[in-house]
Amino acid sequence: MKRENRQNDKAALAVEKLKNIGLRATPQRVAILAFLEGNTSHPSAEQIYEALKSEMPSLSLGTVYNTLDELVQRGELQELAISPTRKHVDPNPDPHYHFLCEGCGRIYDFPGTLHTEEIEEATKGFRVQKYAVYLYGICPACNQEDSDRSSSWCAS
Amino acid sequence: MKRENRQNDKAALAVEKLKNIGLRATPQRVAILAFLEGNTSHPSAEQIYEALKSEMPSLSLGTVYNTLDELVQRGELQELAISPTRKHVDPNPDPHYHFLCEGCGRIYDFPGTLHTEEIEEATKGFRVQKYAVYLYGICPACNQEDSDRSSSWCAS
DNA sequence: ATAATTGCAAAAGCTTTGCACGGAA
DNA sequence: TTCCGTGCAAAGCTTTTGCAATTAT
């Protein structure tokens, strides 16, 4: 019941958002936008498609790509080039940093703002319109696994 | 004459470098490394291939990819994911920022160091091993063109 | 000699595109 | 009713891979 309401809220929000930016509120777009609402997993198009096709079997991957493109162009979400092989999206369009764990592939949000004034003397004449900061390494969960593995390796 | 010597120097440097990192000094690798030496254009694999195939017609694109992979793995150069469609390489492996001009597609180097301590409280438990900072906007040359265009548009 | 490397071509991903049908406004 | 959006399938691009022939050491 609660879950249903949450879903309805997200769907309503999605419809609203789509109308605001001048896009038709099709079931596909609503489903995609509702899925992304408050989602911090930074999914790829494929992952969104996989997540939604059970509740909407007719959905096609092409539509996911098209919808994401529209939403990116209208500034509703940002595209991440943090993975070397796949694009991911972040429903939070505000600038912040991202961390890709090389162990599990998860992408994490980090607060952080780049002060382009710091490099202003170098950027003289350059108009910086946006930026991306990508961090790479090992997340706490995978770090833990590593120590587990080394402990057992030490103990054996 | 001078140009020839410079090329020989670069080739010699390339051979040296390859031996140091335990790779056979094949003509293909030497050509690629010599081409990249001191090159600040951040070429893609395709661009390297195009630039070299006149002087080495037998060179294949696959070899360029293989060589770049080896060099990246051994830390001799870094891969840039700044373009949404293509990977580029930078022969300078030291961390710094990059700027992609949306007007002309050129990639520029910028001095700059990310102080991960700034976000240390958020990164607690995260092991940051490397990072990338990508700036997007309009470079001075394209900016100039823009004002030229608007002036003539105003004047007409 | 021999193990690494090349070139070629095919394959693999991810993403985009074209087009006829269907549905939102 | 009109035009936008969808689904499907094909095509496009960049990158990777397999393998026989070649070559650096």
Side-chain angles (χ1 to χ4, degrees):
Chain A
M1 190 59 171
K2 265 184 186 169
R3 183 160 308 149
E4 240 170 63
N5 286 340
R6 244 179 275 135
Q7 276 316 110
N8 288 341
D9 288 354
K10 291 187 178 181
L13 233 160
V15 172
E16 182 98 3
K17 212 171 246 188
L18 287 166
K19 290 191 172 165
N20 283 342
I21 59 183
L23 287 178
R24 287 190 182 175
T26 67
Q28 292 84 347
R29 286 174 176 168
V30 172
I32 293 169
L33 217 35
F35 174 73
L36 289 175
E37 185 64 37
N39 184 321
T40 60
S41 73
H42 309 90
S44 65
E46 180 78 39
Q47 288 171 328
I48 295 172
Y49 171 68
E50 290 299 329
L52 295 179
K53 78 175 179 190
S54 60
E55 72 180 56
M56 183 178 277
S58 75
L59 181 65
S60 76
L61 184 54
T63 295
V64 176
Y65 274 107
N66 287 338
T67 298
L68 295 181
D69 282 350
E70 299 277 11
L71 294 171
V72 168
Q73 279 174 35
R74 285 151 211 260
E76 287 302 315
L77 46 84
Q78 60 177 309
E79 225 171 48
L80 306 182
I82 196 171
S83 153
T85 55
R86 234 178 311 280
K87 288 177 187 166
H88 292 254
V89 293
D90 186 336
N92 174 4
D94 302 322
H96 56 282
Y97 299 174
H98 290 96
F99 178 99
L100 171 65
C101 175
E102 313 267 30
C104 61
R106 269 191 287 253
I107 297 171
Y108 297 84
D109 289 304
F110 277 83
T113 309
L114 203 61
H115 301 292
T116 43
E117 314 84 53
E118 286 175 7
I119 48 170
E120 85 180 298
E121 101 184 274
T123 55
K124 270 208 168 45
F126 286 81
R127 288 208 317 237
V128 178
Q129 294 168 337
K130 64 171 184 173
Y131 64 82
V133 176
Y134 300 133
L135 308 168
Y136 300 85
I138 300 294
C139 75
C142 290
N143 216 356
Q144 188 52 43
E145 273 174 34
D146 282 358
S147 12
D148 291 353
R149 198 173 307 122
S150 17
S151 340
S152 43
W153 175 79
C154 287
S156 68
Chain B
M1 190 61 172
K2 266 186 186 169
R3 183 160 307 150
E4 240 170 63
N5 286 341
R6 245 180 273 136
Q7 276 315 110
N8 289 342
D9 287 355
K10 291 186 177 181
L13 233 160
V15 172
E16 181 98 3
K17 212 171 244 187
L18 287 165
K19 290 192 172 164
N20 283 342
I21 60 183
L23 287 177
R24 288 191 181 176
T26 66
Q28 292 85 347
R29 287 173 175 167
V30 172
I32 293 169
L33 217 36
F35 174 72
L36 288 175
E37 184 65 36
N39 184 322
T40 60
S41 73
H42 311 89
S44 65
E46 180 78 39
Q47 289 171 328
I48 295 171
Y49 171 68
E50 290 299 329
L52 294 179
K53 78 176 179 191
S54 61
E55 73 181 57
M56 184 179 278
S58 75
L59 181 65
S60 76
L61 185 54
T63 295
V64 176
Y65 275 107
N66 287 339
T67 299
L68 295 180
D69 282 351
E70 299 278 9
L71 294 172
V72 168
Q73 278 173 37
R74 286 152 211 258
E76 288 301 315
L77 47 85
Q78 59 178 310
E79 224 171 50
L80 306 182
I82 196 171
S83 154
T85 55
R86 236 178 310 278
K87 288 179 187 165
H88 291 254
V89 293
D90 187 334
N92 174 5
D94 301 324
H96 55 283
Y97 299 174
H98 290 95
F99 178 100
L100 173 64
C101 175
E102 313 268 30
C104 59
R106 270 190 287 252
I107 298 171
Y108 298 83
D109 289 305
F110 277 83
T113 308
L114 203 62
H115 301 292
T116 44
E117 314 85 53
E118 287 175 6
I119 48 170
E120 85 181 298
E121 100 185 276
T123 56
K124 271 208 169 41
F126 287 81
R127 287 207 318 237
V128 177
Q129 295 168 336
K130 65 170 183 174
Y131 64 82
V133 175
Y134 300 133
L135 308 169
Y136 300 85
I138 300 294
C139 76
C142 290
N143 216 356
Q144 188 52 42
E145 274 174 34
D146 282 358
S147 10
D148 290 353
R149 199 173 307 123
S150 14
S151 339
S152 42
W153 174 80
C154 286
S156 70

